[in-house]
Amino acid sequence: MTTQRRRALAALVATGVLAGLGVQARAADSDWPQKKPISYVVPFTPGGSTDVVGRVLAQKLSERLHQTVVVENKPGAAGAVGAAYVAKAAPDGYTLFGGTISTHAINASLYKNLSYDPVKNFEPVSLIATLPNVLLVDPNLNVNSVADLIALLKRDPTKRTFASSGAGTSTHLTGELFAETIGIPLTHIPYKGTPPAMVDVSSGNVTFMFDQMTAALPLLQQGKLKLLAVTTAKRIALAPDTPTLQEAGVPGFDVSSWQAVYAPKGTPKAIVDRLSKEIAEILKEPDVQEKLGKTMGMDLVGSTPEQLRDLMSREIPRWAEVVQKSGAKVE
């Protein structure tokens, strides 16, 4: 056999092998999700917004995919513990991640030695929703507006404290951005979750905090917290009479938290695209819109993977600037 003929035969064999591998890969994708239950990792404690979103999606995906989707809570380090766990998971479509503005934007610059890369270690699937934070104070503080709060912070250094649901969360960085915008140095008091932070604000131990409206509703209804403003550029349906921070005299302030779904890097595109489309349809369902939209005040989205990737490309440098200016760091 001539050398030329051997090369031609080898090329044919290689082509056949590659084609066979392609068929096997497509077959594996088409079998998904029939092998085992899907794990949906929530990187925060049960009961918070990310957990609620995860449980709604898990139930609906179970119905649409005809496979059990199980929520696993892996809290710690503003979501970094759960994110690192998923970053190392097999990219086979059987592990999903409930990501947030913290895990996939803020943490990238806040943590000096982050145990995962939000861009390199994940496949974006879908932006689920955006949601505002709100500015909360103790009703007994004798503060009735944002202007009153700023005046208090200027004249009384002992009141220059704000709480958050944890170091590195959007509630933390929203407070840092507020301090930088109004030009008053503030002391951050981190808590292990929203409930204890709100208790200390409502009792006057800490001056104010930012958090999500739905988390604050029970204490607002009980008169244990007072709502001063919302962080978004527009007012929100859950509190139409409450001004935005921009309206209240804090120029350029526009912050929205967000919830998203990711998969480990290398998860087949066919699976990612299928999940993205299923989630977009789920978010259109009336009961989902009622629970996440009207009740929790979320602006439901259901984006493509590319749109979520584009959002991250804007949010990561934006929060890196806030971290740099504020000097906030978490080891």
Side-chain angles (χ1 to χ4, degrees):
M1 183 183 295
T2 64
T3 300
Q4 184 175 4
R5 189 174 179 183
R6 282 198 299 269
R7 288 175 178 170
L9 184 59
L12 287 171
V13 170
T15 302
V17 169
L18 291 174
L21 290 174
V23 169
Q24 290 175 11
R26 288 192 296 273
D29 293 353
S30 65
D31 288 342
W32 180 88
Q34 298 177 20
K35 293 180 180 179
K36 57 184 178 181
I38 297 169
S39 173
Y40 188 109
V41 176
V42 172
F44 301 102
T45 55
S49 297
T50 308
D51 183 67
V52 172
V53 167
R55 292 181 189 280
V56 169
L57 289 181
Q59 177 189 340
K60 293 293 184 176
L61 284 170
S62 294
E63 296 169 0
R64 298 178 74 94
L65 299 175
H66 306 292
Q67 179 59 275
T68 302
V69 181
V70 180
V71 172
E72 290 187 64
N73 294 89
K74 293 186 179 294
V81 172
Y85 171 83
V86 174
K88 298 173 184 176
D92 54 8
Y94 291 94
T95 303
L96 302 178
F97 183 68
T100 68
I101 187 174
S102 296
T103 62
H104 279 73
I106 294 173
N107 286 356
S109 54
L110 189 65
Y111 284 82
K112 183 178 180 181
N113 297 305
L114 194 61
S115 53
Y116 67 95
D117 188 306
V119 175
K120 295 179 180 179
N121 295 151
F122 292 87
E123 298 287 353
V125 176
S126 178
L127 175 65
I128 303 304
T130 60
L131 57 163
N133 288 326
V134 293
L135 175 55
L136 305 160
V137 297
D138 173 15
N140 298 317
L141 193 60
N142 198 27
V143 164
N144 296 310
S145 67
V146 175
D148 287 347
L149 176 62
I150 293 174
L152 173 65
L153 296 173
K154 284 182 178 179
R155 70 173 180 266
D156 189 350
T158 67
K159 296 294 185 182
R160 294 174 184 173
T161 58
F162 73 95
S164 82
S165 56
T169 61
S170 67
T171 61
H172 169 200
L173 268 293
T174 301
E176 297 287 3
L177 180 61
F178 180 68
E180 193 269 327
T181 304
I182 64 176
I184 300 174
L186 302 173
T187 299
H188 170 228
I189 312 295
Y191 289 79
K192 293 182 178 180
T194 291
M198 287 189 175
V199 167
D200 265 14
V201 172
S202 67
S203 61
N205 292 329
V206 185
T207 302
F208 73 93
M209 71 178 294
F210 290 95
D211 213 300
Q212 292 158 16
M213 181 66 176
T214 48
L217 271 176
L219 291 180
L220 286 170
Q221 293 166 346
Q222 295 167 28
K224 294 181 179 180
L225 284 175
K226 181 183 288 186
L227 178 61
L228 295 186
V230 298
T231 63
T232 44
K234 296 181 180 179
R235 296 191 182 195
I236 61 175
L238 285 179
D241 297 327
T242 301
T244 67
L245 276 168
Q246 291 187 35
E247 291 173 330
V250 184
F253 207 98
D254 181 11
V255 174
S256 292
S257 296
W258 42 268
Q259 301 280 339
V261 175
Y262 295 85
K265 192 70 173 182
T267 300
K269 186 176 185 301
I271 293 176
V272 170
D273 289 344
R274 168 89 183 276
L275 283 165
S276 180
K277 290 175 182 177
E278 296 288 2
I279 289 171
E281 292 301 314
I282 287 170
L283 296 179
K284 295 176 184 177
E285 295 185 20
D287 59 331
V288 174
Q289 296 212 343
E290 177 69 28
K291 184 173 181 63
L292 299 183
K294 293 181 180 179
T295 303
M296 297 192 68
M298 296 185 180
D299 184 7
L300 303 184
V301 181
S303 77
T304 64
E306 292 73 21
Q307 288 168 330
L308 176 53
R309 186 178 289 109
D310 187 53
L311 172 69
M312 291 172 61
S313 72
R314 300 191 304 273
E315 287 282 85
I316 290 174
R318 179 195 184 189
W319 289 106
E321 184 177 358
V322 173
V323 168
Q324 181 181 17
K325 287 183 177 180
S326 69
K329 285 292 178 185
V330 177
E331 296 300 331

